[in-house]
Amino acid sequence: NGSMRHIQLKRGDKVVTEMDLYDLLLKGDKSKDVGLLPGDVIYIPPVGKLAAVSGSVNTEAIFELKDDKSTLADLIDLGGGMTTVATGEKVRVERIDDHKVRSVDEFSLDKSGMGHQIRDGDLVEVGSVGLRFENAVTLRGNVASPGRYPWKAGMRVKDLIPDMNSLIVPGYWAKQNQIFRTQANESGLIGEAIMHDISEINWDYAVIERMNKRDLSTSLVPFNLGKAIANKDSPDNLLLETGDVISIFSKQDIRVPIAKRSVYVRIEGEIGTPGIYEALPGETLRQMLARVGGLTPNAYLYGAEFDRDSVRVMQQEKLKQIIDKMEQDVQRNLSGKAQNALSPEDLATSKAQAAAQESMLARLRKTRATGRVVLGISPDNNGQINELPDLVLEDGDRFVVPAKPAVVSVMGMVYNENAFLYHKGMHVGDYLDQAGGPTRDADSARMYLLHADGSVMSAQNTGSFFASFTGKSVHPGDTVIVPEMLDRTTLTKDMKDWAQIFYQFALGVAGIKILRM
């Protein structure tokens, strides 16, 4: 509440000097600063009249006025002057008249207006120049140099985009200039660059966003980009107006028909000529394999893996939904067990189960879907690609054909997890015997056989007898999985529970005898 503009130095009964700190802080003027003597008094009176300046000035603040003669120019100077984007026409002044009502006034920024007197409580707002460009059009989207460009009368689309080179995005050249790559991952990096890094132009569709100055409505004017650039006399080479916004899209932004998409497929393994290929419009997996040389004599088509990005996204979403439901079920079951716990041991067991199941859910959330599609190839296939389905290829598809494996794996709750040599005629039970059989913690009723083609056969869907599953045939590359029994109790706990039941039953019988006596 102290004044910064009228600081007095009193010596005896005289005012030696009156200092204005604004002059020191804003101008570096120390002419009113004098040396002090013993007995001097520095007196700071109450703050004087105040006015504020805001908007397009260098320092928005509330300032103390020097006297009643302070002008609009003085206040703007205290604010450091106007910024580059300040409007040079008028300023608005909000003021309080006679401590009764508020009013708004406008002053021009000419000599007369800048000399206008500023009153106590005035708020001066300096406006800024509008964001509208008078003579510009905007190019954005999948282009080499998005931004604003000067508009000229008679300007058309081809004047703004003279040739196709104007649409090559900087990322393309950045990839081209990467000479050195990590040797261990070189082929993978190159493959990803070919298949996914470059967004191809949508030549059939681009759009001009234009504002109608009569009613301020916005309209969209579509045109064929390829025709507009190729021929300056094309009707698609539209006349541009100032303020137009031209948007260029890629084929990923707006999906185009299959026949117009660039489809890149990775084919690996036991292929005549493995590599990354561009699929022809509507080409199927079978047709492409025939085109690139078919399969080698070592190909194991039954174990081939076909991955698709769209399937992977769908699988990941379904997996998330399943895990979310499992988490709700786990929390509901654990809550019920905690409420029904009969002893501290039961409560501790419930907490231990909760921790184990939460850990399992955390591991499941880290699982990533592969997007694998089961092709349904016969295990007896001897490399005949005519058994492949007529599956039209999509961009990003990956097809890997392994060599025929010589082992069958047994994993999970068995005494010896291992890979065992494949022998024709052996069954699931034979390989379980080689692995020592299921352990005491195994859930034998839920064992399953993961086939090399990605399909699954479980003990639950093979009938009610255990032998019906163990008698199933096994093929090279298959894996027998024995899961763990997740909801089990120890023998000691079971004995304790039964003891408590019998004890309560005995007390009940004794009570009945007493009542009958």
Side-chain angles (χ1 to χ4, degrees):
N1 298 322
S3 174
M4 296 183 67
R5 311 214 66 170
H6 301 284
I7 300 175
Q8 299 177 355
L9 176 62
K10 295 185 176 182
R11 185 171 294 160
D13 58 352
K14 295 181 180 180
V15 177
V16 178
T17 187
E18 184 175 282
M19 186 176 183
D20 186 350
L21 273 184
Y22 277 27
D23 289 340
L24 175 63
L25 297 175
L26 301 180
K27 303 176 184 177
D29 183 5
K30 293 182 60 178
S31 61
K32 298 294 184 179
D33 190 14
V34 298
L36 300 177
L37 296 177
D40 283 356
V41 174
I42 300 174
Y43 173 67
I44 302 176
V47 67
K49 296 179 180 180
L50 301 173
V53 60
S54 65
S56 296
V57 290
N58 289 302
T59 304
E60 296 180 290
I62 301 172
F63 295 99
E64 182 181 358
L65 301 177
K66 181 72 173 178
D67 48 42
D68 292 339
K69 297 181 180 180
S70 297
T71 64
L72 176 61
D74 295 332
L75 183 59
I76 291 178
D77 285 342
L78 291 176
M82 295 185 293
T83 64
T84 306
V85 297
T87 180
E89 298 177 357
K90 296 180 180 180
V91 296
R92 286 195 302 272
V93 180
E94 297 180 7
R95 66 178 27 160
I96 301 175
D97 294 326
D98 298 327
H99 297 278
K100 295 179 181 179
V101 296
R102 295 179 182 270
S103 62
V104 178
D105 205 346
E106 276 189 342
F107 301 136
S108 60
L109 292 177
D110 56 15
K111 184 176 181 180
S112 174
M114 294 294 276
H116 195 89
Q117 183 178 345
I118 295 297
R119 302 177 187 175
D120 185 23
D122 280 359
L123 170 60
V124 177
E125 184 177 356
V126 181
S128 60
V129 177
L131 298 178
R132 178 176 178 267
F133 286 83
E134 288 291 335
N135 64 332
V137 291
T138 303
L139 180 63
R140 66 184 183 186
N142 207 87
V143 295
S145 300
R148 282 180 290 272
Y149 292 86
W151 173 84
K152 298 177 182 178
M155 186 177 186
R156 294 183 177 273
V157 172
K158 188 170 175 57
D159 298 322
L160 183 63
I161 311 173
D163 51 42
M164 294 183 177
N165 290 331
S166 304
L167 301 175
I168 301 178
V169 296
Y172 175 81
W173 300 118
K175 290 294 180 183
Q176 291 289 321
N177 295 334
Q178 287 185 4
I179 300 173
F180 300 102
R181 297 177 181 270
T182 304
Q183 185 175 0
N185 297 325
E186 186 175 10
S187 60
L189 288 173
I190 294 175
E192 292 301 319
I194 294 174
M195 296 176 66
H196 300 292
D197 285 348
I198 305 303
S199 297
E200 295 189 353
I201 299 293
N202 186 339
W203 296 105
D204 294 332
Y205 178 83
V207 68
I208 299 173
E209 182 181 337
R210 179 174 293 166
M211 186 179 70
N212 189 327
K213 297 179 178 61
R214 292 190 299 274
D215 57 7
L216 302 184
S217 62
T218 301
S219 61
L220 299 180
V221 184
F223 63 96
N224 187 298
L225 178 62
K227 294 179 180 178
I229 297 177
N231 184 4
K232 65 178 182 179
D233 296 326
S234 170
D236 289 281
N237 188 22
L238 300 175
L239 189 67
L240 299 179
E241 298 180 5
T242 179
D244 282 353
V245 178
I246 299 91
S247 298
I248 308 301
F249 300 95
S250 70
K251 293 181 180 180
Q252 284 72 33
D253 296 328
I254 300 177
R255 297 189 65 180
V256 298
I258 293 177
K260 295 184 178 181
R261 298 178 197 168
S262 293
V263 177
Y264 295 99
V265 179
R266 182 192 295 268
I267 299 180
E268 304 177 72
E270 299 298 319
I271 307 293
T273 310
I276 298 172
Y277 293 93
E278 182 178 5
L280 303 176
E283 189 172 25
T284 65
L285 177 61
R286 183 195 307 171
Q287 292 169 343
M288 173 167 279
L289 284 179
R291 181 161 63 92
V292 300
L295 305 176
T296 68
N298 297 322
Y300 186 47
L301 194 59
Y302 174 69
E305 181 177 346
F306 182 82
D307 300 329
R308 173 162 287 180
D309 283 343
S310 59
V311 175
R312 177 184 54 79
V313 173
M314 179 189 66
Q315 289 175 345
Q316 194 67 46
E317 181 61 29
K318 293 295 183 183
L319 182 61
K320 180 180 180 300
Q321 295 176 3
I322 292 172
I323 295 174
D324 290 341
K325 185 177 184 304
M326 287 178 60
E327 187 173 23
Q328 294 175 0
D329 293 340
V330 166
Q331 292 175 351
R332 184 166 52 250
N333 293 336
L334 292 176
S335 177
K337 288 182 179 180
Q339 292 177 358
N340 298 327
L342 300 176
S343 65
E345 291 84 354
D346 291 340
L347 186 59
T349 301
S350 298
K351 291 182 178 179
Q353 289 180 349
Q357 292 176 346
E358 288 293 339
S359 176
M360 178 189 69
L361 289 172
R363 292 196 303 271
L364 287 175
R365 290 198 181 278
K366 295 179 181 179
T367 303
R368 292 294 174 262
T370 62
R372 183 172 183 178
V373 178
V374 178
L375 300 177
I377 305 297
S378 170
D380 300 325
N381 182 281
N382 56 356
Q384 300 298 319
I385 63 174
N386 57 359
E387 195 174 339
L388 286 169
D390 285 326
L391 185 66
V392 177
L393 294 170
E394 294 182 4
D395 187 41
D397 284 350
R398 178 173 176 264
F399 185 62
V400 183
V401 181
K404 189 171 184 177
V407 297
V408 172
S409 300
V410 180
M411 302 177 62
M413 304 308 293
V414 292
Y415 286 98
N416 179 26
E417 285 187 301
N418 218 326
F420 303 95
L421 288 176
Y422 169 77
H423 293 286
K424 189 174 182 179
M426 291 183 64
H427 302 88
V428 171
D430 299 322
Y431 290 101
L432 283 173
D433 291 340
Q434 291 189 22
T439 66
R440 183 175 59 181
D441 297 330
D443 190 353
S444 300
R446 291 178 173 82
M447 293 189 299
Y448 59 96
L449 177 63
L450 178 59
H451 290 297
D453 69 342
S455 62
V456 175
M457 175 182 293
S458 69
Q460 288 179 297
N461 64 8
T462 54
S464 58
F465 296 97
F466 176 77
S468 62
F469 175 73
T470 57
K472 292 297 180 181
S473 298
V474 179
H475 307 290
D478 287 356
T479 302
V480 179
I481 300 176
V482 182
E484 181 181 3
M485 177 73 74
L486 296 179
D487 189 12
R488 62 179 187 272
T489 57
T490 63
L491 180 61
T492 303
K493 183 179 183 301
D494 288 341
M495 292 178 63
K496 179 180 177 182
D497 292 341
W498 280 108
Q500 288 179 340
I501 293 172
F502 284 126
Y503 175 70
Q504 297 293 337
F505 178 74
L507 288 179
V509 172
I512 292 173
K513 288 184 178 180
I514 292 173
L515 290 174
R516 288 182 176 178
M517 289 177 64

